[in-house]
Amino acid sequence: MDEALLRTLAPAVTGVLVRRGADFAAAEDAVQEALIEAVRVWPDDPPRDHMGWLVAVAWRKFLDSVRADTSRRRREALVEGEPAPGPGAARDDTLQLYFLCAHPSLTPASAVALTLRAVGGLTTRQIARAYLVPEATMAQRISRAKRTVAGVRFDQPGDVATVLRVLYLVFNEGYSGDVDLAAEAIRLTRRLAAMTRHEEVAGLLALMLLHHARRRARTGPDGRLVPLAEQDRGLWDTRLIAEGVGVLQAALARDRLGEFQAQAAVAALHADARTAEETDWVQIVEWYDELVRLTDSPVARLNRAVAVGEADGPRAGLAALAVLDPALPRHTAVAAYLHERDGDLVTAARLYAEAARAAPNLPERDHLTRQAARLNAQLRR
């Protein structure tokens, strides 16, 4: 397999797809899948026209993606702007697709990646970002998952835990990314909650409701990102907060704690505070301790460092941050915030600017750039 040839042809194939009407990001995504298919097929069946083969396969991949996205948008169109309170209907074809893609023949990680791509409508790049891995690595994982299930019968649906992981990532992309998937994720989680008394289903639903309740306050009239501490809490949806807290309390009463319940408990403590200053950071640290115990997640440890900085002072937060991998997404932004709270404005300004360059989306990049500019302006006075 001549991988140098593939690398040489890839930009040209992308250009062909763009000229045919594909947007650049979708074209790149389709070409990446075509390259993976070439690595699999060409050693045993090399084409006569390498460029033509790649264009044909990439275009087919692009069309498949468009069809999946169109289907997802039709499902979203069924959902009105606000997720309706209370339980949903017990049956949903989309939810059934989630279970089928979470097939027992796949590892949980592969099942999640495949479902996000095939049913959730996310691009390979978005999925890779959620998993903190390179896009090429995720593309290979999805391709292997497709090959694994190519010849199996879909009569053994996957387990609830895998489906929950998919719904969680779909919601996160809708909540903080550039695709509106949050309401659809809530709708499906409501349906799942109507089908089972699984504590973590309730925990995830509570987490989604509590985060979604703050959506109107997350951005200003000019589209700028508004940090939690600066949000107008009068814009928070008290109906969703009350529902989320009620769902969480019922789940916690069963005394079978899981990671989504722990995350929802943190969100509930934020929702309970009338002002940012009244936030019970000591309890939040305790819940993050539980979350770290349950998951050992580097993201949970990063969030815990922020909470420690609020509860015990910025130097304690920086000490908690020091043991984490600096390559972790948003590590630099957290370090900047804690250094600012500790009074080291020079270091904080430099770190805010560095974090802005690595920000995963434009609103976050703009916010961090403004933070750096604000501190630099103070230092010049």
Side-chain angles (χ1 to χ4, degrees):
M1 168 57 60
D2 190 346
E3 294 188 7
L5 173 63
L6 291 176
R7 288 195 295 270
T8 301
L9 292 175
V13 178
T14 301
V16 172
L17 267 62
V18 170
R19 287 193 294 275
R20 288 185 178 183
D23 67 78
F24 187 76
E28 278 193 327
D29 198 44
V31 170
Q32 180 64 50
E33 291 197 35
L35 295 179
I36 292 171
E37 188 73 7
V39 170
R40 183 180 71 86
V41 171
W42 286 11
D44 298 324
D45 186 19
R48 293 181 180 179
D49 180 359
H50 296 92
M51 180 72 177
W53 189 97
L54 284 171
V55 168
V57 173
W59 184 247
R60 186 174 69 247
K61 299 288 186 183
F62 167 71
L63 292 178
D64 288 345
S65 175
V66 170
R67 292 187 189 102
D69 186 61
T70 301
S71 297
R72 175 182 61 78
R73 291 181 186 279
R74 285 198 193 104
R75 294 193 299 270
E76 288 179 356
L78 298 175
V79 184
E80 296 183 357
E82 301 299 325
R91 179 178 177 81
D92 186 270
D93 291 340
T94 305
L95 192 57
Q96 183 67 13
L97 287 175
Y98 274 70
F99 273 97
L100 291 176
C101 284
H103 196 272
S105 63
L106 297 172
T107 64
S110 294
V112 170
L114 176 62
T115 313
L116 288 171
R117 186 72 184 89
V119 186
L122 273 64
T123 66
T124 303
R125 180 174 301 169
Q126 289 169 320
I127 302 168
R129 190 173 66 208
Y131 267 90
L132 311 181
V133 300
E135 184 178 353
T137 300
M138 182 53 66
Q140 291 172 354
R141 184 181 299 176
I142 293 171
S143 182
R144 286 196 300 268
K146 288 179 178 178
R147 292 198 300 271
T148 298
V149 300
V152 302
R153 290 174 57 85
F154 282 91
D155 54 1
Q156 300 179 55
D159 66 354
V160 171
T162 301
V163 174
L164 286 179
R165 179 63 49 192
V166 176
L167 290 169
Y168 175 64
L169 291 174
V170 169
F171 177 81
N172 276 348
E173 191 61 40
Y175 184 71
S176 60
D178 54 4
V179 181
D180 184 12
L181 298 170
E184 171 72 354
I186 291 174
R187 183 181 73 86
L188 293 174
T189 307
R190 285 193 192 282
R191 298 291 177 94
L192 187 55
M195 297 165 57
T196 177
R197 282 180 54 80
H198 195 295
E199 294 79 11
E200 279 292 81
V201 175
L204 179 57
L205 179 57
L207 176 63
M208 289 178 174
L209 294 172
L210 290 164
H211 277 300
H212 205 61
R214 301 200 299 259
R215 70 202 176 283
R216 289 176 56 206
R218 290 182 65 246
T219 54
D222 55 359
R224 291 184 177 184
L225 184 67
V226 181
L228 177 61
E230 300 173 20
Q231 289 178 10
D232 178 357
R233 299 184 178 217
L235 295 176
W236 290 3
D237 189 327
T238 55
R239 175 183 63 81
L240 288 182
I241 290 173
E243 183 187 0
V245 169
V247 171
L248 174 63
Q249 289 175 338
L252 291 175
R254 300 172 203 164
D255 199 22
R256 296 181 62 181
L257 184 65
E259 62 174 296
F260 294 126
Q261 295 169 73
Q263 289 188 59
V266 171
L269 287 167
H270 282 299
D272 187 55
R274 291 177 297 176
T275 65
E277 293 73 24
E278 294 179 58
T279 304
D280 191 340
W281 288 107
V282 173
Q283 273 203 70
I284 288 176
V285 171
E286 291 174 355
W287 278 112
Y288 274 124
D289 287 340
E290 290 286 354
L291 190 57
V292 169
R293 180 183 63 80
L294 289 165
T295 67
D296 197 28
S297 161
V299 175
R301 291 183 180 276
L302 182 68
N303 291 334
R304 180 185 179 277
V306 175
V308 169
E310 299 289 353
D312 300 326
R315 294 194 179 181
L318 287 167
L321 187 67
V323 301
L324 302 180
D325 184 356
L328 189 66
R330 297 186 172 87
H331 183 285
T332 306
V334 170
Y337 173 73
L338 291 172
H339 276 290
E340 180 184 359
R341 288 206 55 224
D342 195 39
D344 186 353
L345 302 190
V346 173
T347 300
R350 174 178 59 79
L351 290 174
Y352 274 130
E354 182 181 330
R357 291 191 290 272
N361 54 62
L362 185 59
E364 190 168 336
R365 185 185 314 151
D366 288 346
H367 170 71
L368 293 168
T369 300
R370 287 195 303 274
Q371 296 294 83
R374 174 178 57 81
L375 294 188
N376 283 324
Q378 289 183 34
L379 290 167
R380 288 193 295 269
R381 292 173 187 165

